[in-house]
């Protein structure tokens, strides 16, 4: 079992002929993801690698293929439009990998996505993977193994690091979700924790946060209030100076708000075991699994 | 991107906010001339990208051109939180009857812009938020409709009982939101918005942060960037498409991915040393990026060792290894390198590094401990 995606997920790739889109479309197909179509305006009627039909619009692609999920690899200038188009075409799960979408665009995209009943993951995220079933995005499939641990993270490579430790210790994952490093993202920690709590195959959750905002603090309260599944936490950026953007647009301590210390404290207060190093996560997960 | 107060004032004025005319001076003589031109009492304000200028002695009220010159002499060249003051703003002093705070931020939780006002103005708004949150009034703005009239009026009345004054304030809020939207700001602040003794509303301070992601829509704002507010390495990194923040430690780090880069810095601290920087080489890993990253880190004289922490996903480890080999040929590398590579094309990378006699590990903890040992050995 898993959350959000599984072996039945039918995926569209928006921007399938681009540099990143084509590379990762192949990686996803190799992993076993059912890539049912690509969307590139002006290339409708062609096919990608002689296997995947390309459409001019998402609406056409959905009508022809019955796709339920779309992943977006288009450049930032076109990415907000690509999200609108996917939501308007009735795609239920939209995964935006693109980094660099203006934040005001996202404030307009979000209400539109919700009104269309869609869920957005990202932007500026590595996507998600349900090991052994499907992957949508750019996470390296070979480091994952199927198993009982849900992983949710604002980061990309740090998530790989944690998954690598888990797999190395023989602990597999139900689904790993990268929610993205931007200030405004479609799916929050709480949304993912809620999904994991209701997934019978997820027996423990690893939550990887970072400096900036208060999503982790709110998630900590949710864990205590709503969850029976144990949660292990890690926060990156304990040494980050205030007021400086640490790579991710959302990774910035504003004034005194959003520090790692404050988030780790919120985790501890609400019964989340906090790892001080990525390597310590394994031991805490083993304890949680009992 | 941060811009200076005088630049933000210009943006506000363009959107109809009542901002008193100012002059900008880079020398005491210019400040004196500006004070003479404006006449009467003027305020001299340091133009630096940090808050707390007043407390640091960067703001002075002067009564004559000669005093203005003397004040500018003191303030120009002064360092505020590490940043040197290169320009001062000269503005007419205002007789203040009442001060308020007005600001628009992006609220991450509601995913919307939020306009906040407080009658407790002219002070640190964070402190107000912490100690007396009931003194802050907020409205969430739906960007599809903009700031609605009743929202603006409601906040106007939260500050002033008088209808005309509330209406004037509402006009200012609408102008501020128009400015916020037009320039793709991530923050726009008037602190304080004042009522003068004559009963006039004036915005006498201005702060705007621009959304870096939206700068492509506003190429003219590139000229507002002040390189003197950045470390030299940070300017080069930005131009080369690398994400770099200089810190004060001795262990340089080159990492792919922002989260992993932060976790690497934290691990350096965990093992008892201090990181020299944050540096994310990003996803696509052409060898040139690695060379640029090493050049930038080597330009920091505090750096005693450099560690690489690469988790290959999109980033190919062999690209990074090739970059390291190229950098060793092109640059004078006087400090030890320690390398951790794992993931995509790890084996090829290890072969490339072995051919120039560089060992590598696949453990993050090992590479951090080794780097610290070498950095500390180098200073003894």
């Amino acid at each position: 079992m898993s959350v959000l995606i599984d072996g039945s997920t039918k995926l569209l790739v928006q921007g399938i002929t681009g540099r990143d889109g084509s590379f990762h479309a192949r990686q996803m197909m190799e992993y076993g993801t059912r890539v049912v179509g690509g969307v590139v305006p002006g290339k409708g009627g062609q096919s990608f690698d002689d296997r995947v039909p390309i459409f001019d619009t998402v609406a056409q692609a959905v009508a022809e293929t019955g796709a339920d999920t779309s992943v977006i690899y288009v450049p930032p200038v076109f990415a907000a439009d690509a999200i609108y188009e996917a939501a308007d075409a009735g795609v239920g799960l939209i995964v935006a990998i693109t980094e660099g979408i203006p934040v005001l665009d996202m404030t307009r995209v979000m209400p539109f996505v919700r009104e269309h009943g869609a869920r957005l993951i990202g932007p500026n995220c590595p996507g998600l993977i349900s090991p052994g079933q499907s992957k949508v995005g750019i996470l390296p499939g070979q480091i994952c193994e199927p198993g009982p641990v849900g992983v949710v993270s604002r980061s990309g490579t740090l998530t790989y690091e944690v998954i690598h430790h888990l797999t190395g210790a023989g602990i597999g994952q139900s689904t790993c979700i990268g929610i993205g490093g931007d200030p405004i993202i479609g799916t929050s920690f709480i949304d993912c924790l809620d999904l994991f709590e209701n997934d019978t195959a997820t027996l423990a959750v690893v939550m990887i946060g970072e400096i900036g905002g208060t999503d982790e603090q709110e998630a900590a309260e949710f864990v205590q209030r709503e969850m029976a599944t144990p949660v292990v936490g890690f926060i990156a950026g304990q040494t980050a100076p205030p007021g400086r953007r640490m790579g991710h647009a959302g990774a910035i301590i504003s004034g005194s708000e959003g520090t790692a210390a404050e988030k780790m404290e919120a985790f501890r207060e609400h019964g989340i075991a906090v790892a001080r190093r990525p390597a310590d996560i394994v031991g805490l997960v083993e304890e949680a699994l009992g | 991107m941060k811009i200076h107060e005088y630049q933000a004032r210009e943006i506000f004025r363009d959107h109809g906010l009542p901002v008193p005319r100012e002059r900008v001076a880079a020398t005491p003589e210019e400040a004196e001339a500006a004070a003479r031109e404006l006449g009467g009492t003027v305020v001299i304000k340091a133009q630096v990208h940090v808050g707390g200028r007043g407390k640091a002695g960067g703001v002075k009220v002067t009564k004559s051109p000669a005093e203005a010159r003397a004040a500018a002499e003191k303030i120009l060249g002064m360092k505020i939180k590490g940043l040197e003051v290169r320009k001062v703003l000269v503005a007419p002093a205002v007789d203040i009857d009442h001060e308020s705070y007005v600001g628009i931020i992006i609220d991450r939780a509601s995913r919307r812009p939020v306009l906040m006002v407080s009658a407790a103005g002219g002070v640190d708004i964070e402190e107000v938020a912490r100690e007396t949150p009931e003194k802050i009034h907020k409205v969430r703005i739906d960007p599809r409709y903009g700031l609605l009239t009743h929202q603006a009026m409601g906040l106007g009345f939260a500050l002033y009982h008088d209808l005309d004054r509330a209406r004037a304030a509402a006009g200012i809020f609408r102008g501020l939101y128009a400015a916020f939207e037009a320039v793709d700001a991530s923050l726009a602040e008037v602190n304080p918005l004042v009522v003068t003794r004559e009963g006039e509303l004036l915005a006498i301070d201005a702060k705007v942060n621009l959304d870096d992601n939206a700068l492509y829509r506003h190429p003219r704002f590139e000229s507002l960037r002040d390189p003197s507010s950045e470390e030299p390495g940070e300017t080069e990194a930005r131009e080369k498409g690398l994400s770099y923040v200089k810190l004060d430690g001795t262990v340089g780090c080159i990492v792919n991915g922002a989260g992993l880069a932060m976790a690497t810095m934290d691990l350096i601290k965990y093992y008892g040393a201090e990181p020299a920087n944050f540096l994310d080489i990003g996803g696509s890993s052409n060898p040139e990026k690695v060379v640029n990253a090493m050049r930038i880190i080597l330009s920091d004289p505090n750096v005693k060792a450099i560690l690489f922490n690469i988790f290959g996903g999109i980033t190919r480890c062999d690209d990074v290894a090739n970059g390291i080999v190229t950098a060793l040929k092109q640059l004078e590398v006087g400090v030890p390198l320690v390398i951790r590579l794992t993931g995509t094309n790890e084996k090829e990378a290890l072969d490339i590094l072995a051919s120039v006699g560089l060992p590598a590990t696949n453990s993050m903890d090992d590479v951090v401990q080794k780097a610290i040992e070498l950095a500390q050995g180098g200073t003894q």
Side-chain angles (χ1 to χ4, degrees), chain B residues 243-258:
Chain B
S243 198
Y244 170 74
V245 176
K246 189 191 170 312
L247 301 168
D248 299 325
T250 57
V251 183
C253 22
I254 298 178
V255 188
N256 68 319

Side-chain angles (χ1 to χ4, degrees), chain A residues 137-276:
Chain A
I138 63 176
L139 286 115
Q142 72 278 7
I143 60 170
C144 303
E145 284 292 338
V149 176
V151 178
V152 57
S153 171
R154 277 169 66 186
S155 159
T157 47
L158 177 58
T159 316
Y160 311 164
E161 178 77 30
V162 172
I163 296 171
H164 181 66
H165 282 294
L166 289 171
T167 300
I171 304 169
Q173 306 88 38
S174 54
T175 301
C176 306
I177 312 168
I179 57 175
D182 273 4
I184 293 187
I185 49 175
T187 298
S188 66
F189 277 122
I190 290 181
D191 298 329
C192 297
L193 292 169
D194 193 33
L195 290 166
F196 284 133
E197 175 69 10
N198 290 302
D199 176 42
T200 51
T202 301
L203 304 181
V205 176
V206 176
M207 169 163 54
I208 305 161
E210 63 189 31
I211 56 163
T214 54
D215 203 16
E216 289 85 351
Q217 295 87 315
E218 282 139 31
E221 287 173 22
F222 177 86
V223 168
Q224 190 166 45
R225 206 175 54 234
E226 309 279 345
M227 290 183 74
T229 314
V231 178
V232 171
F234 179 80
I235 300 287
Q238 297 162 49
T239 47
R244 300 300 307 270
R245 167 177 159 170
M246 306 301 279
H248 292 156
I252 179 163
I253 300 168
S254 318
S256 57
E257 187 194 275
T259 63
E262 154 195 347
K263 290 171 192 250
M264 291 162 81
E265 188 49 41
F267 279 6
R268 284 192 202 100
E269 247 173 54
H270 293 95
I272 298 171
V274 180
R276 288 198 57 204

Side-chain angles (χ1 to χ4, degrees), chain B residues 309-375:
Chain B
N309 185 10
I310 304 297
F311 202 114
I314 325 181
T315 306
R316 288 171 33 182
C317 292
D318 55 333
D319 279 343
V320 176
N322 279 322
I324 295 171
V325 173
T326 313
L328 286 172
K329 283 180 197 149
Q330 291 182 4
L331 308 171
E332 204 169 306
V333 182
V335 297
L337 302 183
V338 285
I339 302 161
R340 182 274 178 123
L341 297 157
T342 194
T344 312
N345 294 0
E346 174 180 335
K347 201 189 156 302
E348 291 85 340
L350 293 179
D351 291 343
I352 293 165
L353 293 174
S355 72
V356 293
L358 282 173
T361 160
N362 62 16
S363 151
M364 176 165 164
D365 285 82
D366 288 354
V367 80
V368 167
Q369 287 174 281
K370 183 80 187 157
I372 293 173
E373 189 190 313
L374 291 168

Side-chain angles (χ1 to χ4, degrees), chain A residues 29-44:
Chain A
M29 288 189 281
E30 214 170 281
Y31 194 74
T33 306
R34 294 172 66 191
V35 177
V36 296
V39 178
V40 182
K43 294 192 180 170

Side-chain angles (χ1 to χ4, degrees), chain A residues 101-103 105 107-108 114-115 154 157 161 185-186 237-239 244-245 247 250 254-256 277, chain B residues 108 111 126 130 143-144 181 211-213 217 234 243 256-257 260 265-266 269-271 278 314 340 365:
Chain A
I101 303 178
V103 71
D105 291 4
T107 65
R108 297 182 187 103
R114 292 204 165 157
E115 280 160 19
R154 277 169 66 186
T157 47
E161 178 77 30
I185 49 175
Q238 297 162 49
T239 47
R244 300 300 307 270
R245 167 177 159 170
S254 318
S256 57
R277 304 177 299 159
Chain B
R108 296 160 69 137
R111 302 176 168 99
E126 264 209 41
R130 221 171 18 243
R144 296 170 300 177
E181 203 177 25
D211 177 6
D212 293 317
N213 286 350
R217 290 203 274 245
E234 293 177 358
S243 198
N256 68 319
L260 191 61
M265 290 162 39
D266 295 348
K269 178 89 173 177
Y270 176 89
Y271 284 114
F278 166 92
I314 325 181
R340 182 274 178 123
D365 285 82

